């Protein structure tokens, strides 16, 4: 006779522990963590202006003056997230506090941060910033949009090949530092992954939840809607939108999000179909709880697990979509992007290896990392796949 | 437990087998049909070849007079160069000419199309009365045998050849010439560009079947080239569209003419086919038959892809960007297969930034002359030429080339001058009022504008980024706005842009009327920046009326000075042609009109041993 062992851990914590139980996923999480860190502190890591300088005894922070609203907001969001994760609260409450905090931060940033609308990078190498007592430059002293016009950068120079200035990863076609652009591009990659997937997830959960809960006619109509959206070729839709409405990162996020929810809807639907006749759901209905409460408070936490797997693959897909679009030369002009840099690997019939290795490697690593995380989740959640299932305490 | 085979199963299986056998047999039959069909096609092609030889033999008079020495005399002057080429020892007909276009074409219907790509296609299909000799630049009869100009210069009468037919076999007569003129002058037909010029002509009349008389309202300096250069549109083909002009205006590929090549189906080309393919006009009337069997343009938007395609031998020429020209010069593979040409074409066009002065009926900030001058002072042309075009270009002062007689050599290109630009902008009321680094006008609106450009051109993209940094120094914010070619043309027609960078092709003598005359600031006219200057209008009108070249040139120079002062465009540069052409193309020569690659009547050919395409 085996004695049933009662686990003292919550389901979520157990899943999380089991997920972390592997080398690949640790590596994946570490890579994403590094990317997040780079994305957050990008302006302090790679920029043309000094971090700190003393001129005639007066100490200034030039980099802060040129901090954009987005920079400030991302920084604030990061620290709020750090602080909130330390609070002894429920997950939902933490999330709510985080959302409220970032919203307030966005508001404050919009009102207070007023960077100069035009940045003339040549000035930072002019007398105003060179005739100083002392200054501390960022590790990579080139901004992503700094084409080094005053230094006569020739563009497409291999690493360490430029004269007079060092570029760890060489320069791109207009003469900007590749490493600097790589670091700043991690923002686009991360944000498009998270936001596009977030939009898709929100739509997918609502539509899928309704389909699964009501089943019948609603389910039938919903499935047809899902099928319609599955048939939309996202890349071609993006190409069309770019041609007619110009290039915008936000538009890309919305389109990838709005067309990509059907998979999530399917997952949630199957889960909810399974759950809708369960006793606790019936109890909730009998208690006369409002529909959103039944759907999202009672059913969703029990049906969310398979979704996590899909999400991590979805993030990887969204990053690839943006990279593809940028590779085709249809990304946002002037904004650093891995895909756009990869496009410059073969220019004028010469193969610029550094433009292929670094951005290509970054795209590969990021997509790979998300896939590793997703797979680890799947292994942890799926009872059939988990070898340690039964005896697990 | 095993199921016994019932007789019902047997029937089923045999039926399935029977069906399979039948399908295989049918496939075999269809295959045989295909073989037969291609045999027939080959036979037809051979016959057509024989016909062509017969016709050129007849055309050169060899059938009538058996004296070979007398042949050149019967060749019309326009075909002399092509005839000389055809007598070269390794001359052969056949093969295809394959080129690449950098954009999708919106339409190739004549009159409706607006870009140089489409007119390039049309030049192979439609012909005009006269053509220019590439050696002497004099006019020679093409469809016209001869012409006379009346003493007052107002009447020109052309005598047409009587052996000209359109590619569908219908003879070309004076009626078609008259029709072409009337067709363009029909208001409902969307041809404002051509109409703007042709309205100088009072009437076009047919006198007999092969004589046509053009009468001008007033003297015009290019009277002969205007009348003689008009493409002849076949009346029987285009006349039905007078009843449904909308159908014509929206058409994509209605193209038929008397030229050496034709569309396989003159009505069915659409942009989604991508490529444009012309086939030989087997009925071509000319004294020398064209060399290639087909003319094919592939659409390859990406610069690198175009180069790779050329490298693989799938297109015949590649116009190199400055940044790759030097590298390609040292590229053994390219060198082994190419003839390279580096030259400043005599009729090279110029690129510019056009400042839109009227938008939605209201004057924009660029309506102020001082602002435009300031922008020209900010646009460091020599820097652009040095950084982006690596010196393979020369600065442009005005629409007139530096070697042109129309150009006043006293005028120098605007030199970059930040202080002057700042002073001008301040004078025009622009100051940094809220200390954010961007200038604001008196109403507090920041000086920010979108520069529209064609997205697939890498040099342009690089130039725009450079301009962005240059303008930033004066507190002017440029927002790059790349667009697809058809979308850009659409916005141009609607005048929906702040500023745009483009290029104009030019000719021996450049007429300012189309781009700068106030009357052309109409809907779909080419003065799309809404530039108006009464004084310039008068000068343009006067110059166009003056037939005497000695008196006309000073007028053009005066007009140039006004353009220089007003800067409706910031004139950028004229770029050298850096061209690689496949070695199999023979008889490439430099003429006064530039390289003769693809010039008509065709002079280039591919010797038999090097031919690639057999169809």
């Amino acid at each position: 006779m085996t004695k049933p062992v009662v686990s003292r851990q919550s389901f979520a914590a157990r899943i999380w522990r089991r997920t972390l139980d592997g080398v690949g996923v640790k590596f994946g999480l570490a890579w994403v963590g590094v990317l997040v860190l780079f994305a957050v502190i990008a302006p302090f890591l790679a920029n043309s202006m000094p971090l700190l300088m003393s001129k005639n005894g007066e100490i200034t922070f030039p980099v802060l003056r040129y901090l954009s609203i987005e920079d400030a907001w991302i920084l604030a969001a990061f620290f709020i997230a750090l602080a909130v994760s330390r609070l002894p609260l429920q997950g939902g409450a933490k999330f709510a506090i985080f959302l409220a905090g970032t919203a307030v931060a966005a508001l404050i940033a919009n009102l207070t941060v007023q960077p100069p609308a035009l940045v003339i990078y040549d000035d930072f190498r002019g007398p105003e910033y060179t005739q100083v007592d002392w200054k501390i430059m960022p590790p990579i002293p080139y901004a992503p949009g700094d084409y080094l016009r005053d230094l006569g950068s020739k563009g497409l120079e291999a690493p360490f090949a430029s004269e007079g200035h060092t570029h760890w990863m060489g320069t791109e076609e207009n003469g900007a530092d590749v490493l600097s652009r790589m670091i700043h591009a991690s923002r686009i990659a991360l944000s498009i992954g998270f936001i596009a997937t977030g939009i898709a997830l929100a739509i997918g959960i609502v539509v899928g939840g309704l389909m699964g809960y009501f089943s019948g006619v609603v389910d039938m109509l919903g499935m047809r809607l899902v099928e319609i959206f599955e048939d939309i070729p996202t890349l071609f839709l993006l190409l069309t939108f770019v041609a007619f409405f110009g290039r915008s990162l936000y538009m890309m996020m919305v389109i990838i999000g709005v067309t990509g929810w059907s998979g999530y809807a399917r997952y949630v639907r199957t889960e909810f179909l399974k759950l809708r006749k369960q006793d606790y759901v019936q109890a909730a209905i009998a208690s006369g709880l409002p529909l959103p409460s039944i759907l999202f408070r009672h059913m969703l936490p029990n049906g969310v697990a398979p979704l996590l797997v899909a999400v991590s693959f979805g993030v990887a897909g969204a990053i690839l979509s943006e990279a593809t679009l940028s590779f085709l030369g249809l990304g946002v002009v002037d904004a650093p992007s891995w895909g756009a840099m990869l496009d410059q690997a073969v220019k004028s019939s010469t193969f610029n290896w550094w433009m292929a290795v670094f951005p290509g490697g970054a795209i590969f690593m990021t997509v790979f990392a998300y896939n590793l995380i997703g797979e680890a989740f799947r292994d942890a959640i799926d009872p059939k796949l988990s070898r340690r299932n039964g005896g697990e305490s | 437990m095993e199921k016994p085979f019932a007789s019902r199963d047997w029937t089923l299986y045999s039926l399935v087998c029977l069906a399979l056998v039948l399908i295989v047999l049918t496939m075999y039959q269809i295959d045989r049909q295909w073989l037969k069909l291609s045999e027939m096609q080959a036979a037809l092609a051979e016959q057509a070849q024989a016909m062509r030889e017969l016709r050129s033999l007849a055309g050169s008079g060899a059938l009538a007079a058996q004296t070979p020495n007398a042949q050149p005399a019967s060749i019309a002057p326009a075909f002399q160069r092509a005839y000389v080429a055809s007598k070269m020892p390794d001359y052969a007909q056949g093969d295809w000419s394959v080129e690449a276009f950098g954009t999708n074409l919106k339409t190739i219907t004549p009159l409706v199309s607006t870009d140089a790509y489409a007119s390039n296609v049309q030049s192979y299909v439609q012909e005009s009365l006269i053509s220019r000799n590439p050696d002497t630049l004099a006019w020679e009869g093409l469809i016209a045998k001869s012409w006379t100009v009346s003493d007052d210069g107002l009447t020109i009468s052309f005598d047409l050849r009587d052996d000209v037919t359109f590619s569908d076999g219908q003879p070309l007569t004076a009626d078609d010439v008259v029709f072409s003129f009337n067709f363009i002058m029909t208001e409902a037909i969307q041809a404002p560009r051509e109409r703007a010029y042709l309205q100088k002509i009072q009437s076009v009349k047919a006198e007999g079947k092969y004589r046509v008389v053009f009468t001008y309202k007033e003297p015009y300096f290019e009277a002969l080239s205007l009348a003689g250069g008009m493409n002849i549109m076949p009346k029987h083909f285009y006349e039905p569209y007078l009843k449904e002009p909308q159908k014509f205006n929206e058409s994509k590929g209605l193209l038929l003419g008397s030229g050496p090549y034709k569309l396989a189906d003159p009505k069915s080309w659409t942009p989604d086919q991508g490529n444009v393919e012309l086939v030989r006009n087997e009925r071509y009337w000319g004294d020398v038959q064209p060399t290639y069997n087909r003319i094919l343009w592939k659409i390859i938007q990406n610069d690198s892809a175009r180069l790779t395609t050329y490298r693989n031998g799938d297109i015949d020429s590649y116009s190199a960007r400055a940044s790759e020209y030097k590298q390609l010069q040292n590229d053994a593979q390219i060198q082994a297969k190419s003839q390279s040409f580096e030259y400043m074409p005599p009729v090279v066009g110029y690129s510019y930034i056009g400042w839109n002065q009227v938008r939605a009926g209201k004057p924009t900030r660029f309506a102020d002359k001082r602002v435009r001058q300031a922008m020209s002072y900010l646009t460091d042309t020599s820097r652009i030429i040095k950084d982006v075009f690596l010196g393979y270009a020369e600065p442009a002062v005005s629409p007139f080339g530096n070697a042109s007689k129309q150009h006043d050599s006293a005028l120098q290109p605007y030199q970059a001058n930040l202080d002057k630009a700042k002073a001008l902008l301040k004078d025009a009321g622009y100051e940094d009022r809220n200390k954010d680094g961007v200038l604001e006008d008196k109403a507090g609106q920041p000086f920010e504008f979108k520069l529209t450009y064609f997205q697939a051109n890498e040099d342009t993209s690089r130039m725009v980024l450079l301009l962005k940094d240059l303008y930033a120094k004066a507190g002017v914010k440029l927002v790059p706005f790349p667009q697809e070619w058809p979308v850009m043309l659409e916005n141009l027609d609607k005048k929906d842009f702040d500023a745009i960078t483009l290029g104009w092709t030019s000719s021996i003598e450049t007429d300012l009327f189309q781009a700068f005359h106030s009357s052309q600031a109409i809907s779909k006219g080419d003065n799309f920046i809404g530039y108006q200057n009464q004084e310039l209008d008068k000068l343009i009108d006067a110059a166009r009326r003056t037939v005497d070249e000695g008196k006309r040139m000073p007028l053009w120079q005066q007009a140039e000075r006004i353009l220089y002062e007003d800067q409706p465009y910031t004139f950028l540069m004229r770029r050298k042609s850096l061209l690689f052409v496949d070695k199999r193309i023979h008889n490439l020569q430099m003429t006064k009109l530039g390289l003769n690659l693809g010039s008509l009547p065709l002079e280039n050919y591919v010797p038999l041993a090097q031919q690639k395409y057999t169809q």
Side-chain angles (χ1 to χ4, degrees), chain A residues 188-204 234 238 249-262 264 311 314-322:
Chain A
I188 291 191
L190 283 178
S191 59
I192 199 149
F194 282 126
I195 298 179
T197 317
I199 295 172
L201 199 57
I203 303 176
T234 311
L238 281 169
L249 191 61
Y250 301 108
M251 197 190 67
M252 273 189 224
M253 292 174 181
V254 171
I255 292 179
I256 297 176
V258 167
T259 52
W261 56 266
S262 48
Y264 306 125
V311 164
V315 171
I319 292 174
L320 271 185
S321 288
E322 190 274 335

Side-chain angles (χ1 to χ4, degrees), chain B residues 233-415:
Chain B
M233 325 238 318
K235 186 178 179 183
H236 63 275
F237 183 74
Y238 287 105
E239 198 170 31
Y241 295 101
L242 280 175
K243 291 199 189 80
E244 351 172 60
Q246 202 54 33
K247 206 168 158 192
F248 177 81
N249 294 343
E250 285 166 6
S251 68
K252 303 297 174 203
L254 282 177
L255 186 56
L256 184 75
S258 58
Y261 292 92
K262 61 177 185 180
L263 281 172
D265 178 351
K267 283 187 182 176
S268 71
W269 186 86
T270 50
D272 50 314
Q273 290 180 9
N275 298 349
V276 185
E277 184 172 323
L278 300 180
V279 296
R280 186 193 280 279
N281 170 9
E282 299 291 358
R283 294 197 178 89
Y284 189 53
W285 57 272
D287 298 340
V288 179
Q289 289 295 315
T291 50
Y292 302 119
N293 283 342
R294 277 180 209 196
I295 310 279
L296 175 66
W297 288 275
K298 297 184 172 178
I299 311 286
I300 306 174
Q301 302 212 12
N302 183 293
D303 286 349
S304 308
R306 209 155 48 238
L307 177 57
T308 312
T309 316
Y310 173 71
R311 198 183 274 282
N312 296 342
D314 291 337
I315 53 176
D316 292 338
S317 72
Y318 178 71
S319 179
R321 298 163 56 217
S323 55
E324 58 197 19
Y325 182 65
K326 275 234 175 73
Q327 282 173 343
L328 292 179
Q329 285 279 309
N330 299 326
D331 187 318
Q333 191 204 355
I334 293 277
Q335 283 306 308
K337 64 170 299 210
S338 312
Q339 326 167 50
S340 68
F341 297 89
E342 174 190 336
Y343 64 101
M344 184 65 84
V347 289
V348 62
Y350 59 97
S351 48
Y352 59 86
I353 306 174
W355 311 105
N356 195 2
Q357 301 187 19
V358 184
R359 203 165 169 180
K362 286 193 203 109
T364 65
R365 69 175 93 250
F366 297 119
D368 189 332
K369 182 168 88 184
R370 291 166 296 186
V371 176
R372 297 193 305 266
Q373 284 174 338
M375 297 313 288
S376 290
Y377 278 121
L378 285 176
T379 309
D380 191 344
T381 338
S382 51
R383 178 97 194 252
I384 295 172
I385 291 174
K386 188 166 79 71
D387 283 7
V388 181
F389 298 102
L390 307 179
Y392 292 110
E394 61 177 34
V397 183
S398 73
F400 306 140
N402 293 350
S404 160
K405 282 186 235 165
Q406 294 170 285
H407 172 61
D408 177 359
S409 53
L411 296 177
Q412 290 303 315
Y414 272 57
Q415 295 295 325

Side-chain angles (χ1 to χ4, degrees), chain A residues 117 149 247 334 347 349, chain B residues 383 436 455 458 468-469:
Chain A
R149 307 244 184 243
R247 298 141 183 241
D334 206 15
K347 273 284 140 92
S349 81
Chain B
R383 178 97 194 252
D436 65 347
Q455 62 177 16
E458 286 167 21
K468 184 183 166 200
D469 285 357

